[in-house]
Amino acid sequence: MTAQQFLWSAWDWKPSVVIGCAGLLLAYGAAVRWRFSMRAAAWCAGVSLVLLASVSPIDALADSYLFSVHVAKHIVFLLVVPALLLLGFPTELVARRRRLARFSPHPAACWLIGIGTMAFWHLPAVFDAAVAHEALHIAEHLSLLAAGTIYWWPILAPIPSARLNPVPQAAAYLFTSCLACTAMGVLITFAPAPLYAPYINPADTFGMLATVRRNWGISAMLDQQIGGLVMWVPCCLIYLTAIMAMFGRWYGEPAGAVQQA
């Protein structure tokens, strides 16, 4: 199968994903009374990313052929989608939900849940089991979304009082996350041998293995190294971008203001 044929044929419109994403969009629209705003755009972008990563050829590449694409998908679920959903969460809904307004978990616990979940699912035995068992794979994705939401809560909570202050403390929260992902990425990138069995000799469900190995020149070892670099560099760029955004807004605020972005 050529790459073009694969891109046309590897779409899998899973009913549970499509219905779930449609439900999130409809519920959001009803909550904000169908008013469009930048918050609504962020929410729609987050839901759209979940749909794209779950039904498009990206999902087939991640599950069947390329560990590096699978890692990228995990980063989207853990760091990108939850951040967009929190940025898009309607503040008026928070005001009507007292329990949500009082939700303020300890930042250390949020950090451990976010980073720990990422590390756990990339243990070779756990990762291989999730690829092999669909129910565990679904649990993996849901846990990444949940852990990512908890991780970002001290930084992007829709209630300003729940955010980590002062800004340098929040920056340390993000910077240490960058260091943790760097450590995980380094371990994977410089591993002396392939760690993830499903990607050594893939089952070739779509007949794409020859294209991946010969045409694209991606061996199992190179794929793993790229996956480690994906965990290493893009993750840190996300954290560092958030740090710069916080400091930029902090320095732009009037004297005495200490709220972060």
Side-chain angles (χ1 to χ4, degrees):
M1 181 180 287
T2 66
Q4 185 176 5
Q5 291 170 331
F6 176 76
L7 289 174
W8 281 107
S9 63
W11 291 81
D12 182 11
W13 298 95
K14 305 176 182 71
S16 59
V17 174
V18 174
I19 293 171
C21 289
L24 286 172
L25 292 175
L26 291 172
Y28 187 91
V32 300
R33 298 177 183 175
W34 310 104
R35 292 192 300 268
F36 186 78
S37 63
M38 290 304 296
R39 282 186 174 274
W43 181 274
C44 292
V47 175
S48 297
L49 278 177
V50 172
L51 181 66
L52 183 66
S54 301
V55 306
S56 75
I58 293 171
D59 183 59
L61 274 177
D63 291 351
S64 302
Y65 295 102
L66 292 175
F67 168 77
S68 53
V69 178
H70 207 142
V71 172
K73 183 177 171 182
H74 285 180
I75 292 171
V76 168
F77 278 23
L78 182 75
L79 294 180
V80 181
V81 170
L84 288 170
L85 295 181
L86 284 174
L87 286 170
F89 202 88
T91 53
E92 57 267 32
L93 188 61
V94 176
R96 296 199 298 264
R97 298 289 184 271
R98 293 183 178 179
R99 289 184 180 179
L100 184 59
R102 292 196 299 265
F103 181 65
S104 185
H106 195 284
C110 296
W111 192 98
L112 287 172
I113 289 170
I115 301 302
T117 300
M118 186 69 156
F120 173 77
W121 287 114
H122 288 88
L123 293 172
V126 178
F127 191 99
D128 293 354
V131 172
H133 300 90
E134 183 64 20
L136 186 59
H137 204 177
I138 293 170
E140 174 189 52
H141 290 165
L142 292 176
S143 70
L144 287 168
L145 289 168
T149 302
I150 294 170
Y151 171 82
W152 279 116
W153 191 266
I155 306 298
L156 299 174
I159 314 99
S161 61
R163 299 176 193 167
L164 192 56
N165 258 319
V167 169
Q169 189 175 342
Y173 179 94
L174 293 166
F175 184 70
T176 53
S177 304
C178 174
L179 295 179
C181 282
T182 296
M184 287 186 276
V186 166
L187 289 173
I188 294 172
T189 302
F190 295 104
L195 300 173
Y196 301 94
Y199 298 95
I200 299 173
N201 292 300
D204 201 13
T205 308
F206 294 90
M208 269 286 291
L209 188 58
T211 298
V212 171
R213 293 287 189 256
R214 290 201 296 265
N215 297 3
W216 296 355
I218 303 177
S219 65
M221 196 64 197
L222 177 60
D223 177 36
Q224 181 172 291
Q225 291 166 346
I226 295 171
L229 288 172
V230 167
M231 183 178 292
W232 183 352
V233 180
C235 272
C236 279
L237 285 176
I238 292 170
Y239 297 128
L240 294 176
T241 299
I243 290 171
M244 289 187 290
M246 283 193 307
F247 274 110
R249 181 166 179 178
W250 190 39
Y251 288 132
E253 287 174 345
V258 295
Q259 276 192 2
Q260 76 237 46

